[in-house]
C-alpha cells in the first residue's frame, strides 16, 4: 500500500491524495466482485495505479481508456497544458509514453489493459460487465454524457460508478461531470455511498437503467 501511494504521488496527473484514497477504497470494494475495473481518462496513469493495485489483489484487471491526445483544457495555450507531453515528431500531445513509464515504475503492467481510443467507440464494442467504472475523461457535456451512456449500463449490480470533478457551483468550475452525477442519481438505480470533495462514489442497485436526459 505504501509503495502504491508513493507511485501514485510521484505520477503526473490531477488527482489529489484524499480523492485518490477514496478512489482506492472504492476500487478495493468493487474488485471483490471479481469483474474488471474500467477507467475513462488514463492521462499519465496516476489514478490507474490505484485501480490496478486493487484489481491485482482481487485477481482481476484494470482497463483504462484514453486517446492520449489530451482533453480540450490540456491543449497548447490552455490552463492544463504540459509542454513535456508534446511529441516532437507530431507536435501533438501524447501521454501514452509517460503513462507506460508510470505503470512500469509501479510494477503494475501485468494488471492493466490499456485501450487507446475514443471512449464512445470503445464502449460500443464492450460487452463484459464491469465491477467499477471511473469517469475522468473529457469535461464537455458531449464527452461526459457519452461516457455515462456508454459505460454506466455495463456496471454490474453491486458495482460502483465513480465520477471525478463533480463541482456543484459553476463559480468553481465546469458542470458536465456534476450533470452526469445528477443524471445517475435521477436514474433510480445509483445510490451515493461515498466520496471526498469532487470524487463521488455511487453503487449500482437492481433495476433497469433507462438512459433519460436531465
Ligand atoms: N485520471 C487521470 C486524469 C485524466 S485527464 C489522473 O488521475 O491523473 C482526462 C483524460 O481524458 C485525458 O488524458 C484525455 O486525453 C482523455 N479524454 C478526454 N476525452 C476523451 C474521450 N472522448 N475518449 C478517450 N479519452 C478522452
Ligand atoms: Mg479529473
Amino acid at each position: 500500500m505504501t509503495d502504491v501511494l508513493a507511485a501514485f504521488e510521484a505520477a503526473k496527473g490531477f488527482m489529489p491524495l484524499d480523492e485518490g484514497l477514496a478512489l482506492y477504497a472504492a476500487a478495493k470494494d468493487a474488485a471483490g466482485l471479481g469483474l474488471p475495473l474500467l477507467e475513462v481518462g488514463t492521462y499519465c496513469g496516476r489514478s490507474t495505479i490505484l485501480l490496478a493495485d486493487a484489481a491485482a489483489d482481487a485477481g482481476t484487471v484494470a482497463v483504462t481508456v484514453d486517446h492520449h491526445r489530451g482533453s480540450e483544457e490540456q491543449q497548447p495555450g490552455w490552463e492544463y497544458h504540459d509542454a513535456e507531453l508534446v511529441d516532437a515528431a507530431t507536435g501533438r500531445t501524447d501521454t501514452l509514453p509517460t503513462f507506460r513509464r508510470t505503470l512500469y515504475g509501479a510494477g503494475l503492467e501485468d494488471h492493466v489493459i490499456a485501450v487507446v481510443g475514443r471512449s464512445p467507440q470503445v464502449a460500443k464494442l464492450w460487452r463484459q460487465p464491469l465491477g467499477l467504472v471511473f469517469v475522468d475523461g473529457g469535461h464537455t457535456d458531449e464527452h461526459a454524457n457519452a461516457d455515462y451512456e456508454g459505460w454506466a449500463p455495463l456496471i454490474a449490480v453491486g458495482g460502483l460508478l465513480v465520477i471525478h470533478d463533480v463541482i456543484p457551483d459553476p463559480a468553481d468550475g465546469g458542470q458536465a461531470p456534476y450533470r452526469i452525477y445528477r443524471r445517475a442519481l435521477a436514474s433510480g438505480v445509483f445510490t451515493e455511498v461515498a466520496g471526498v470533495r469532487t470524487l463521488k462514489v455511487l453503487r449500482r442497485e437492481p433495476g433497469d437503467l433507462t438512459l433519460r436526459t436531465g
Side-chain angles (χ1 to χ4, degrees), residues 80-101:
Y80 293 99
H81 181 62
D82 182 341
E84 281 177 18
L85 298 172
V86 174
D87 172 4
T90 60
R92 300 282 312 277
T93 292
D94 184 0
T95 48
L96 188 56
T98 308
F99 161 65
R100 298 210 73 195
R101 284 193 284 271

Side-chain angles (χ1 to χ4, degrees), residues 1 3 57 67 72 74 84 92 113 131 149 161 164 209:
M1 166 128 179
D3 288 350
D57 274 358
H67 49 53
E72 286 78 359
Q74 294 157 0
E84 281 177 18
R92 300 282 312 277
I113 299 171
E149 289 167 16
L161 171 63
H164 195 217
L209 174 52

Side-chain angles (χ1 to χ4, degrees), residues 14-15 19 134-137 139 164-165 198:
F14 303 107
M15 184 166 291
E19 293 181 335
F134 174 47
V135 178
D136 195 19
H139 282 171
H164 195 217
D165 304 303
T198 76

Side-chain angles (χ1 to χ4, degrees), residues 114-201:
V115 183
V116 180
R118 287 167 196 285
S119 165
Q121 287 179 325
V122 181
K124 232 182 193 170
L125 302 184
W126 195 271
R127 292 289 171 275
Q128 300 303 312
L130 297 164
L132 176 146
V133 168
F134 174 47
V135 178
D136 195 19
H139 282 171
T140 63
D141 280 306
E142 182 196 347
H143 286 129
N145 276 311
D147 291 342
Y148 177 72
E149 289 167 16
W151 296 108
L154 291 153
I155 301 170
V157 171
L160 298 173
L161 171 63
V162 184
I163 307 175
H164 195 217
D165 304 303
V166 172
I167 299 170
D169 184 349
D172 298 332
Q175 300 287 284
Y178 175 69
R179 282 193 277 268
I180 59 162
Y181 157 75
R182 300 291 310 170
R183 206 178 154 185
L185 291 175
S187 74
V189 297
F190 286 104
T191 313
E192 189 162 347
V193 288
V196 169
R197 292 195 292 127
T198 76
L199 188 119
K200 305 291 185 195
V201 182

